[in-house]
Amino acid sequence: MRKNIVAGNWKMNKNLQEGVELAKELNEALKGKTINCDVVIGTPFIHLAAVANIVDSDKIGVAAQNCANKVSGAYTGEVSAEMVASTGAKYVILGHSERRAYYHETAEILKEKVGLTLANGLTPIFCIGEVLEERESEKHFDVVKSQIVDSLFELSAEDFGKIVLAYEPVWAIGTGKTASPAQAQEMHAFIRKTLVEKYGNEVANNTSILYGGSANADNAKELFSNPDVDGGLIGGASLSVDKFMPVIEAF
Ligand code: PGA
């Protein structure tokens, strides 16, 4: 059966020392605790190796927030999936709306990144979600379906089975405006139905679909209690242990 996952996305926050400190604190806080979900922290690239070294890998998985769509070579400033894997990280967040919007990541580029991530034994946490205008004009289901189809549906069932999805309505990210539990469940059920149609029940039922967008200690329990919401991708509330632990413990 699919896993419950609470994944932090630090975005471009915390210098190296602060990030290492936060990872240490989280590791301490989880020690000896029974946790009913997998915990992941998505750090900036330069933190990955240090953080992966510090945390108990049975308790905390480490994620990059991006990787290159090329294997290696003359791509100044880029970081490859192989490099990410060599740090001890296990996940890569891909297709975050901030990367789609500010860095012009297209469905095609994301398809390449997903392929390289899988080829290097990493788990993609693939983000999808509509902007406010698309929801208001009732295009949100079509938009989310296209994002999935265009970047992921050429994968074999076996490879698709390695993907984690994160539904993040863009209007809810960093805005303090969360999708209601009913809105989240409605979209997650739609996504799962889309997966059933393409890959069948087994793959669809085994795919973890996380919710992201202003999820926090106050709303996590209600969001996670929905049958198709298998956890969260947490931005702001992952930046301190005080705020992140209650989200983890919502399971
Ligand atoms: P937020 O960010 O929790 O700060 O809204 C979520 C995300 O962008 O992954």
Side-chain angles (χ1 to χ4, degrees):
M1 210 35 199
R2 57 186 178 261
K3 289 177 179 168
N4 291 325
I5 302 170
V6 171
N9 175 10
W10 292 1
K11 308 192 180 184
M12 197 174 73
N13 292 295
K14 309 276 178 197
N15 66 28
L16 180 60
Q17 289 73 30
E18 291 164 347
V20 163
E21 201 44 47
L22 175 55
K24 270 188 193 158
E25 280 175 33
L26 183 65
N27 202 48
E28 276 305 308
L30 288 171
K31 241 181 217 162
K33 282 226 163 121
T34 308
I35 296 297
N36 300 312
C37 62
D38 286 5
V39 177
V40 176
I41 48 179
T43 81
F45 285 129
I46 62 150
H47 300 51
L48 290 174
V51 166
N53 244 320
I54 286 166
V55 298
D56 174 354
S57 59
D58 290 338
K59 284 253 160 92
I60 303 176
V62 178
Q65 301 169 16
N66 180 29
C67 71
N69 63 329
K70 307 285 186 215
V71 175
S72 66
Y75 301 103
T76 301
E78 288 293 287
V79 176
S80 71
E82 186 192 351
M83 292 172 188
V84 170
S86 74
T87 66
K90 299 282 181 239
Y91 298 81
V92 184
I93 298 169
L94 288 174
H96 192 281
S97 60
E98 288 150 17
R99 298 224 46 98
R100 292 178 191 259
Y102 310 149
Y103 301 97
H104 315 295
E105 295 197 357
T106 61
E108 196 54 38
I109 289 172
L110 291 172
K111 198 195 288 183
E112 294 166 354
K113 293 187 178 194
V114 167
L116 289 166
T117 298
L118 290 171
N120 284 282
L122 296 160
T123 300
I125 300 176
F126 191 82
C127 304
I128 51 196
E130 80 284 358
V131 299
L132 186 58
E133 198 186 26
E134 290 161 343
R135 178 160 282 261
E136 285 175 342
S137 55
E138 293 182 7
K139 291 195 189 111
H140 46 301
F141 293 116
D142 290 344
V143 167
V144 166
K145 184 171 181 175
S146 300
Q147 289 171 336
I148 295 171
V149 171
D150 295 350
S151 294
L152 302 176
F153 271 13
E154 281 175 27
L155 293 172
S156 65
E158 193 191 341
D159 276 346
F160 192 91
K162 298 171 187 158
I163 304 256
V164 172
L165 292 175
Y167 169 58
E168 299 204 298
V170 180
W171 46 271
I173 295 177
T175 56
K177 201 170 158 190
T178 321
S180 69
Q183 283 173 322
Q185 170 56 26
E186 183 187 34
M187 181 57 88
H188 284 226
F190 169 79
I191 293 168
R192 204 172 308 280
K193 183 174 125 274
T194 303
L195 305 188
V196 170
E197 286 162 6
K198 170 76 181 168
Y199 291 109
N201 277 315
E202 195 183 331
V203 169
N205 286 331
N206 283 325
T207 302
S208 300
I209 308 175
L210 317 184
Y211 167 80
S214 300
N216 57 40
D218 297 331
N219 55 34
K221 235 192 181 99
E222 214 186 337
L223 285 164
F224 298 169
S225 67
N226 286 293
D228 289 295
V229 178
D230 309 311
L233 183 55
I234 317 294
S238 72
L239 293 173
S240 78
V241 171
D242 286 355
K243 290 188 176 147
F244 197 42
M245 272 306 281
V247 181
I248 294 168
E249 290 176 320
F251 274 115

